[in-house]
Amino acid sequence: METRSIPIQVEKEKPSKAVRLASIDALRGFDMLMISGGGAFIFLLGGKTGIDFIDAVALQFEHPEWNGFTFFDFIFPLFLFLAGTSMAFSLTGGLAKGIGKRELAIKIFKRMLILIILGILDKNAPIDIFDPANIRYGSVLGRIGLATFVGALLYMNYSWTTRLYLGVAILVLYYLALILIPVPGFGAGDLSFEGNLVGWFDRNFMPGKLKQGTYDELALLTQFPALCLTIFGSLAGDILLASHTAGEKLKRHIILGTVGIISGLIWNSVFPINKHLWSSSFIMLTGGMAFILLAIFYWVIDVKGYKRWSFFFRVIGMNSLVIYLAVRFVDFNASSKLLFEGFYKYAPENWHEVYNALGGFLLVWLFLYFLYRNKIFVKV
């Protein structure tokens, strides 16, 4: 692999084998843990223990109404980032095996279509296909599919540096669009719930139902900044794939992460951090956080070799699609009540929902462990 002199730049040749890193599976598992019940469990602890620290942590698992940021806002951006990181490994491995770019692109395009369909089902079940006007077409899975497809095309055709510049350019153009393009009835630069360009664009061009009524945070325009997280994740993947020392890889991740966080906080002064708008400051902040969190997991698990503690997360991370859909279509909390209420009913009543949520997540993990032990890993 060839490395140029710029400290955070990576130019690569394709290695013969892209080794799977346990840290990526573990971090994805940590992320899915928050989505599949862990976040809800922590939130439910708020106001019950009498411990100020726990109450403060619980507040981090509720989304702000508009501007602002909590740790819970980081969960989906982290998944998009890791999708880009994993994509770098899978595409590098595919190209090294002699699979052509066209064949890989077709495969990822089909994957995108499947994820879009699953996303529509997820957001609308039970879906009424005879009433398309009331179907919500924007979805988490659809966003992942679109971002990884476009990200893959960029990955296979552009260098590390070009993709970095493209990601930053998209965020700058997105900011300028929301600031300079006038919205009928509100004018230019209105970033309020009612007057922002994203909402106007959704109302006029997005078919079907919008989640928030006047806009949908998973609709059209916000796809552009969200894509940047997958681009940034692919940059992180290339750093991990490169023939640098572990210390050099960590340094590059930390540099990029620090720059991202500082840039996001500075940008916040003119373009508020806002998950609903996927503002450029929000993308830079969460992208920076993802670089640093991935570096920590990589250092602890793959470099220092402390892997046993991460098994709990890796069981989740290796079947992320299964768990995402399972918690939507299987009522694990109802099963938890049937199985465990006889134990926790003697606890104070305000703790019942906490124990029930914990039991529900235990069932989720045991289900994933069963799949893991039987080597069943569902991929799209």
Side-chain angles (χ1 to χ4, degrees), residues 20 25 28 86 107 111 114-115 118 314-322 376-380:
R20 188 182 188 104
D25 288 327
R28 187 189 300 111
S86 298
K107 180 180 179 180
R111 176 182 183 272
I114 293 172
L115 287 175
L118 289 175
R314 284 186 283 126
V315 167
I316 305 170
M318 295 182 73
N319 260 313
S320 55
L321 178 61
V322 170
I376 300 172
F377 306 110
V378 180
K379 307 291 183 184
V380 176

Side-chain angles (χ1 to χ4, degrees), residues 311-313 315-316 323 360-370:
F311 176 75
F312 175 82
F313 296 118
V315 167
I316 305 170
I323 189 55
F361 180 74
L362 175 63
L363 295 176
V364 168
W365 192 87
L366 290 174
F367 167 62
L368 292 173
Y369 180 69
F370 171 81

Side-chain angles (χ1 to χ4, degrees), residues 157-275:
N157 292 285
Y158 294 99
S159 69
W160 192 95
T161 305
T162 302
R163 284 181 281 124
L164 173 63
Y165 291 159
L166 278 172
V168 173
I170 290 170
L171 294 179
V172 171
L173 290 173
Y174 183 71
Y175 163 67
L176 292 176
L178 267 63
I179 293 297
L180 300 178
I181 297 177
V183 175
F186 294 93
D190 190 323
L191 300 177
S192 67
F193 181 90
E194 300 83 5
N196 66 83
L197 178 67
V198 171
W200 178 85
F201 201 89
D202 288 349
R203 291 191 297 274
N204 286 274
F205 298 102
M206 183 68 180
K209 181 174 64 176
L210 303 178
K211 178 183 178 182
Q212 284 84 3
T214 57
Y215 81 102
D216 193 317
E217 64 189 30
L218 295 175
L220 297 174
L221 283 187
T222 54
Q223 181 61 44
F224 291 97
L227 165 64
C228 297
L229 287 163
T230 302
I231 293 175
F232 295 156
S234 75
L235 302 180
D238 275 355
I239 294 173
L240 295 175
L241 282 164
S243 58
H244 308 305
T245 64
E248 183 67 20
K249 294 177 183 181
L250 286 166
K251 183 178 77 172
R252 295 177 185 223
H253 272 82
I254 292 171
I255 289 173
L256 287 166
T258 302
V259 170
I261 291 171
I262 293 174
S263 299
L265 294 176
I266 293 174
W267 215 337
N268 176 57
S269 62
V270 292
F271 194 12
I273 294 170
N274 186 306
K275 179 183 182 295

Side-chain angles (χ1 to χ4, degrees), residues 300-330:
V300 173
I301 296 173
D302 291 309
V303 178
K304 303 303 289 184
Y306 300 120
K307 293 185 178 182
R308 294 184 64 181
W309 70 273
S310 69
F311 176 75
F312 175 82
F313 296 118
R314 284 186 283 126
V315 167
I316 305 170
M318 295 182 73
N319 260 313
S320 55
L321 178 61
V322 170
I323 189 55
Y324 183 84
L325 292 174
V327 296
R328 174 69 174 89
F329 292 101
V330 179

